[in-house]
Amino acid sequence: MTSLAVPHDEAATGRSFLFVLGSSRPDGNTETLARAAAEQLPTGVPQRWVDLTHLPLPDFQDGRHDTGTWQAGENERILRQATVEATDIVLATPLYWYTVSAHTKRYLDYWSGWLTAPGSDFKERMAGRTLWAVTVMADEDESAADGLVTTLGHSAAYMRMRLGGVLLGNGSRPGQVRDDERAMSRAKTFFQSGTTPAAGSLT
């Protein structure tokens, strides 16, 4: 499923959100929590939702030192355009092996290609935008997501983006995150929190 932007006036807020669904399961707990947070956004803020299972990407090939030209596929073009058009990128990824899902990792790997494409201004366009994440995990100990938080923090710093935060929830069975009262309460104010430049001066 790929949902296009909500038809509101972006100029009213100056912000537009891209929600990148990285779960291998439709309508999973992470998407449920992300949509609960998105419901709290002001009416004038456009939202676009993309499901990476419906815009599959082949395994990323690092062509930085190749002499040939990488031919971008249609799904890659759609995702790149959606990424650079958003002021806020929200990675909705369940916690898999203490980090992001394979679909999400592949999407981020493609950022590497967009950074190094001839004539690319991807890094300049992403600087100052905000990276957020929503993740649900079976482990009730939130420290289990420390690896994911570190990965996204360093990634945002490298891109000179702002880090909005990571919304964590607990759940395994479909819909179980709705029983996590703490996570559902956090979702109500998640996008209202202030953002800061990502920690670290990675270049």
Side-chain angles (χ1 to χ4, degrees):
M1 175 189 65
T2 301
S3 300
L4 299 181
V6 175
H8 292 306
D9 182 8
E10 180 181 346
T13 62
R15 300 176 73 186
S16 58
F17 278 70
L18 172 66
F19 290 83
V20 181
L21 303 178
S23 177
S24 59
R25 181 171 64 186
D27 302 318
N29 284 302
T30 296
E31 181 178 350
T32 296
L33 185 58
R35 290 193 180 275
E39 288 174 358
Q40 310 304 315
L41 287 171
T43 303
V45 177
Q47 301 175 28
R48 183 173 185 176
W49 294 74
V50 295
D51 187 332
L52 295 177
T53 63
H54 293 276
L55 288 172
L57 295 167
D59 288 340
F60 175 69
Q61 299 179 27
D62 186 349
R64 284 175 294 175
H65 305 295
D66 294 344
T67 57
T69 301
W70 173 262
Q71 297 297 321
E74 181 63 19
N75 289 348
E76 179 184 348
R77 286 191 291 269
I78 290 171
L79 287 168
R80 185 184 187 281
Q81 181 178 0
T83 301
V84 299
E85 286 179 350
T87 63
D88 295 74
I89 294 91
V90 185
L91 303 178
T93 170
L95 188 72
Y96 288 162
W97 290 106
Y98 310 104
T99 188
V100 299
S101 69
H103 291 301
T104 305
K105 177 59 166 60
R106 187 178 293 112
Y107 165 69
L108 291 174
D109 283 348
Y110 270 78
W111 284 27
S112 299
W114 300 340
L115 281 170
T116 58
S120 172
D121 61 352
F122 183 68
K123 190 168 187 176
E124 290 76 11
R125 296 185 69 173
M126 297 302 290
R129 302 183 188 214
T130 304
L131 183 66
W132 308 80
V134 179
T135 189
V136 175
M137 53 189 171
D139 198 319
E140 294 185 2
D141 181 358
E142 292 187 348
S143 68
D146 285 353
L148 178 147
V149 174
T150 298
T151 293
L152 297 183
H154 283 302
S155 298
Y158 180 81
M159 298 297 293
R160 297 188 175 92
M161 299 175 71
R162 303 179 72 82
L163 186 63
V166 180
L167 175 59
L168 300 174
N170 175 259
S172 179
R173 298 187 306 276
Q176 191 174 15
V177 72
R178 294 189 180 93
D179 298 327
D180 185 344
E181 295 181 0
R182 186 179 182 189
M184 298 305 290
S185 177
R186 287 172 174 173
K188 294 179 180 179
T189 58
F190 180 54
F191 292 123
Q192 297 174 18
S193 59
T195 66
T196 59
S201 300
L202 304 180
T203 57

